[in-house]
Structures are given as C-alpha cells and as structure tokens.
C-alpha cells in the first residue's frame, strides 16, 4: 500500500502545466492565476534528491481560506517532513494582495497552531481559525511577486532582501540568487 502511495505521489508532484493553464485567461487577474497555481500540495523532492546533505524532503500544503478571514485572498499553509507527515513542523497563514502589477504575500503566525494541524488536508479542522488567532509578521518578510508573461512565471523577492525565486505550476520556488 505504501509503495502505491509513493508512485501516486510521484505522479502528482511531477505534474506539468496543462496547455490551457499556460496563458493568463482574459477574464483572470494575475492574483487569480497566482492563487490557482499556488493552492495544493508541493514537494521539494528534486531539490532533496539532488542535495540530500543540504535539504530534507518536505511537503508544503496550501489550502485556500474564506476571503472574509482577512478581507483578502488567503491560504493556510502546513509544512511537514516527508518521513513525518503526521506532525507538521510549521503552519502559517498568508494573505495575497494585488497592487500595481505586483502581488504582495504577507505572513501571519497562528496562536496555538497545533489546534489546526492537518487542516490543509481536512479543512473542517480550520473552522476555529479566526483573525484573533493570527498575528502579522514583520513586513520585511513580505514577498513581492511579479509576473513575466514571456516566461509565464511569477518571480518573488523578499521585500527587504535580494533573494529571488520563481514559481510556476508544476515546479516550486527555484532559488535564483545562486544562479
């Protein structure tokens, strides 16, 4: 049974962009496209396999939250080590706001995050997640994303630092500062 899970997981993580997802739909904003590409389950298996001494294999789950939580598009995020998926090591909430051709991702920590563990995979567990259970992190930790239409990729940069990375459907946050 576990072997079948690994095979199915590999197929999921190696997914590619469907032709209809390659272009920004006329009626779709950049924020909608970014959100559509962000939600779901992600893995750094390629990075962990290529550099096992530097990177553990992790999975990161992005579950879209109701807009009324922060009065803007937001996601519950849960990070787990692949060998310990029953114990998340990090949870957070991020909000997304489109501003002047950019998307700003702001980070929030959760008070007593263990109350919401597994909420990315079982959304019913997020019912008690309210604004008063969140506190914003320093705005220097915000990530500013821009969209490159020619490459069909979003590129992100920390607000106060020079580190850059890219995101596209089917691949995950490649660090461009080392290239």
């Amino acid at each position: 049974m576990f072997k079948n899970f690994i095979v199915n997981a590999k197929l999921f993580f190696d997914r590619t962009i469907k032709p209809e997802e390659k272009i920004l739909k006329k009626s779709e904003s950049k924020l909608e496209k970014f959100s559509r590409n962000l939600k779901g389950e992600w893995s750094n298996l390629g990075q962990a396999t290529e550099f096992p001494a530097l990177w553990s294999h992790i999975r990161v789950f992005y579950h879209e939250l109701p807009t009324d939580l922060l009065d803007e598009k937001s996601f519950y995020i849960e990070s787990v080590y692949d060998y310990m998926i029953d114990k998340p090591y990090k949870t957070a909430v991020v909000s997304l706001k489109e501003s002047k051709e950019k998307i700003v991702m702001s980070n929030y920590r959760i008070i007593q995050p263990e109350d919401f563990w597994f909420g990315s995979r079982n959304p019913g567990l997020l019912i008690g997640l309210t604004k008063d259970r969140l506190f914003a992190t320093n705005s220097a930790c915000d990530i500013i994303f821009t969209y490159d239409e020619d490459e069909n990729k979003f590129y992100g940069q920390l607000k106060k630092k020079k580190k850059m990375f890219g995101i596209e459907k089917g691949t995950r946050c490649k660090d461009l500062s080392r290239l």
Side-chain angles (χ1 to χ4, degrees):
M1 184 167 107
F2 186 72
K3 189 174 184 179
N4 288 338
F5 173 77
I6 295 297
V7 170
N8 291 332
K10 182 168 176 28
L11 291 173
F12 179 79
F13 297 139
D14 289 343
R15 66 184 173 192
T16 58
I17 300 172
K18 296 176 184 169
E20 66 272 10
E21 292 176 341
K22 286 190 175 186
I23 57 173
L24 190 64
K25 298 172 184 167
K26 298 262 186 227
S27 62
E28 184 178 51
S29 71
K30 289 181 177 76
L31 181 61
E32 289 167 334
K33 179 181 178 79
F34 184 83
S35 296
R36 179 171 44 84
N37 288 334
L38 185 62
K39 68 179 143 185
E41 180 179 344
W42 296 93
S43 168
N44 73 334
L45 181 59
Q47 181 184 44
T49 303
E50 189 173 347
F51 303 105
L54 299 174
W55 301 101
S56 294
H57 180 199
I58 63 169
R59 294 179 188 194
V60 182
F61 301 87
Y62 287 82
H63 175 75
E64 193 166 357
L65 294 167
T67 306
D68 61 353
L69 178 67
L70 293 171
D71 298 322
E72 54 200 15
K73 193 168 281 292
S74 59
F75 288 85
Y76 171 75
I77 304 170
E78 199 166 67
S79 302
V80 298
Y81 290 108
D82 186 63
Y83 60 87
M84 216 166 52
I85 61 174
D86 60 332
K87 189 174 181 186
Y89 70 87
K90 185 168 103 175
T91 60
V93 169
V94 295
S95 68
L96 304 176
K97 189 184 308 180
E98 194 165 10
S99 171
K100 298 181 183 177
E101 297 295 315
K102 297 177 181 174
I103 296 171
V104 179
M105 179 185 279
S106 300
N107 299 284
Y108 296 82
R109 291 284 169 225
I110 302 170
I111 298 169
Q112 294 179 310
E114 61 279 357
D115 292 349
F116 306 103
W117 281 5
F118 314 111
S120 60
R121 292 164 277 168
N122 182 355
L125 297 173
L126 298 175
I127 291 172
L129 184 59
T130 56
K131 194 172 187 171
D132 63 325
R133 299 283 304 263
L134 304 175
F135 62 94
T137 61
N138 186 321
S139 65
C141 298
D142 289 356
I143 303 172
I144 311 299
F145 289 93
T146 55
Y147 180 64
D148 184 317
E149 290 184 31
D150 295 333
E151 294 185 31
N152 188 42
K153 290 183 185 177
F154 287 93
Y155 288 94
Q157 183 170 354
L158 289 173
K159 192 172 187 178
K160 298 288 182 186
K161 295 185 179 180
K162 299 293 184 196
K163 194 162 190 140
M164 286 186 65
F165 54 90
I167 180 174
E168 63 178 304
K169 187 78 171 181
T171 63
R172 194 72 189 144
C173 296
K174 185 174 186 178
D175 183 351
L176 302 178
S177 62
R178 295 184 192 186
L179 300 178

